[in-house]
Amino acid sequence: MNLTMADVQSLVNEFALNKYVQVLSIIIVFFVLAKIVDFILTRLIAKLFKKTKIAFDDQLLEIFHRPIFVSIFLFGLSVALERLQVPPTADYVTAASLKTITVFIWAKAGYKFLSLIIQIVSQDQSRFTLIEERTQPLFVNFSMLLVSGIALYFIFLAWSIDVTAWMASAGIVGLAISFAAKDTLANLFSGVFIMVDAPYKLNDMIVLDSGERGMVTHIGIRSTRILTRDDVEITIPNSMMGSAKIINEAGGPSPRYRIRIAVGVAYGSDIDKVHAVLMEIAENHPNVLKNPKPRVRFRRFGDSSLDHELLCWVGEPVLRGNVQHLLNTEIYKRFIKEKIEIPFPQRDVHIKTNAT
């Protein structure tokens, strides 16, 4: 259909000589046209999309049908405005305002579209490992900034603003801000890398190189917060977290954690009996995992004792302290009952005196 603006105006001229009637007719025609297109999209095409097995096409139609309707109607308003022949200043302001409204509507639709794509991609971890649940807000915020930047560019064009001058000014201002807020920017970029690289995640038990141990309760753009076992919250700037050595006790393929109980028995003890007692204690404890099985290792001949180690696993690192306490208590009681001696360091002191 090769219908130009001149053809439309010619048809309107034949329809009515009064320009106000022409303007009203143009608005009505484009409103009806927009309604027809919207009806085709929301009724006819929507029925076809509902027969498919995927929900993406329905969501896509839900996002874009309204901007298409509004764009057609606003285009009709711009045609009517040209026919009305208003003063140049009013024509410029009105046309720029209509373009700005159109940009805002499509920017909102574009943001929803990118958010939908990110959500769908994050669910396919077999192909896209970078976008997942923990990094999804980062990509959503980035898409919002991208759409906002593009929308702002087109708004400048709509109002005939020199984009080059603004870009140069923004570069100078950005350079000044980067020097003034270098620590904030360092935390910002480190926060992005932490979210993407994921050396730890929420609810992980981590140990900092300074010795603090706690559960990660918040990972933000500026800082990371951990809650210690004393219910004390520690806030660490992400720039420090990005360069620090961090032990993630919940890292690896499983959240389980291995604890080690050092036990020393006296020389001359029945070590087979010692091994059996330690294994029995570990296997009967409710918080000790059955798989992997507990193990007992004879580590060394100490100065005053035969040094053993009980190795067993708990379901998560947060159980470490309590299980160690309960196992140590049970070991001590059982050794007393089984008459297994736990030695303590002894020293023989020889006093030599000079005869007078």
Side-chain angles (χ1 to χ4, degrees):
M1 182 177 180
N2 298 324
L3 186 62
T4 64
M5 188 67 67
D7 296 331
V8 174
Q9 292 181 352
S10 177
L11 292 174
V12 172
N13 288 334
E14 294 177 2
F15 176 75
L17 296 177
N18 190 307
K19 66 177 180 179
Y20 296 104
V21 175
Q22 296 174 8
V23 169
L24 181 60
S25 300
I26 292 174
I27 295 174
I28 293 174
V29 168
F30 276 92
F31 179 78
V32 172
L33 178 62
K35 277 292 186 181
I36 293 174
V37 173
D38 190 63
F39 176 81
I40 294 174
L41 293 175
T42 57
R43 300 295 178 85
L44 302 181
I45 297 180
K47 287 182 179 180
L48 296 176
F49 285 171
K50 287 181 179 180
K51 295 179 180 179
T52 60
K53 297 181 180 180
I54 59 175
F56 176 73
D57 48 9
D58 299 311
Q59 295 170 327
L60 202 63
L61 188 61
E62 179 66 24
I63 292 173
F64 287 110
H65 84 90
R66 181 60 60 184
I68 293 175
F69 169 81
V70 176
S71 298
I72 295 175
F73 180 67
L74 292 180
F75 178 74
L77 289 180
S78 65
V79 174
L81 179 65
E82 291 182 3
R83 187 60 187 171
L84 196 58
Q85 295 179 350
V86 296
T89 303
D91 179 72
Y92 164 75
V93 173
T94 307
S97 300
L98 292 177
K99 293 177 182 178
T100 302
I101 295 173
T102 305
V103 169
F104 273 118
I105 292 173
W106 279 99
K108 183 179 179 180
Y111 172 70
K112 290 182 178 179
F113 172 72
L114 291 178
S115 300
L116 176 62
I117 295 296
I118 292 171
Q119 180 182 359
I120 294 175
V121 169
S122 66
Q123 296 173 355
D124 188 3
Q125 291 300 300
S126 60
R127 298 176 58 187
F128 304 97
T129 57
L130 184 60
I131 304 178
E132 52 186 70
E133 184 178 359
R134 68 172 181 273
T135 59
Q136 185 175 338
L138 176 64
F139 286 94
V140 170
N141 292 335
F142 176 76
S143 66
M144 181 180 65
L145 293 176
L146 178 64
V147 171
S148 300
I150 295 175
L152 186 63
Y153 172 77
F154 282 104
I155 290 174
F156 281 175
L157 293 181
W159 290 91
S160 301
I161 299 175
D162 187 4
V163 180
T164 305
W166 279 86
M167 291 294 289
S169 301
I172 297 173
V173 173
L175 184 62
I177 293 176
S178 65
F179 280 110
K182 60 179 181 179
D183 293 336
T184 301
L185 291 176
N187 291 328
L188 172 65
F189 286 112
S190 296
V192 172
F193 293 142
I194 288 172
M195 289 183 179
V196 174
D197 189 47
Y200 51 83
K201 59 183 183 297
L202 291 178
N203 301 322
D204 279 358
M205 291 294 295
I206 63 174
V207 181
L208 305 180
D209 54 3
S210 55
E212 290 93 344
R213 176 178 180 264
M215 178 182 293
V216 179
T217 58
H218 174 77
I219 303 174
I221 294 296
R222 192 194 70 83
S223 63
T224 296
R225 300 173 193 164
I226 65 173
L227 187 67
T228 68
R229 299 296 291 167
D230 297 327
D231 281 341
V232 176
E233 186 178 73
I234 302 175
T235 302
I236 309 102
N238 283 332
S239 58
M240 296 179 60
M241 296 295 288
S243 59
K245 176 184 176 182
I246 300 172
I247 300 174
N248 187 353
E249 295 181 349
S254 172
R256 62 180 181 238
Y257 183 82
R258 186 164 74 171
I259 59 178
R260 301 168 180 266
I261 308 294
V263 180
V265 297
Y267 278 90
S269 299
D270 185 351
I271 61 174
D272 293 330
K273 184 179 180 180
V274 171
H275 298 170
V277 170
L278 291 176
M279 285 294 296
E280 182 182 349
I281 292 172
E283 290 174 348
N284 292 334
H285 196 283
N287 287 331
V288 173
L289 299 180
K290 307 302 180 184
N291 186 24
K293 294 181 179 181
R295 295 182 294 176
V296 176
R297 291 291 180 263
F298 187 173
R299 292 302 187 191
R300 67 188 62 85
F301 295 93
D303 294 337
S304 304
S305 62
L306 304 174
D307 296 334
H308 292 72
E309 197 170 45
L310 173 61
L311 308 175
C312 54
W313 296 81
V314 292
E316 50 185 340
V318 71
L319 299 174
R320 183 190 72 174
N322 184 52
V323 174
Q324 282 182 330
H325 158 71
L326 294 175
L327 288 176
N328 283 330
T329 303
E330 183 64 22
I331 289 171
Y332 182 72
K333 291 179 178 180
R334 284 294 303 277
F335 276 17
I336 293 177
K337 182 179 179 180
E338 301 292 339
K339 300 186 183 322
I340 300 174
E341 182 182 354
I342 302 176
F344 52 88
Q346 299 181 15
R347 294 290 182 269
D348 293 333
V349 178
H350 300 273
I351 300 176
K352 184 177 180 181
T353 60
N354 296 323
T356 58

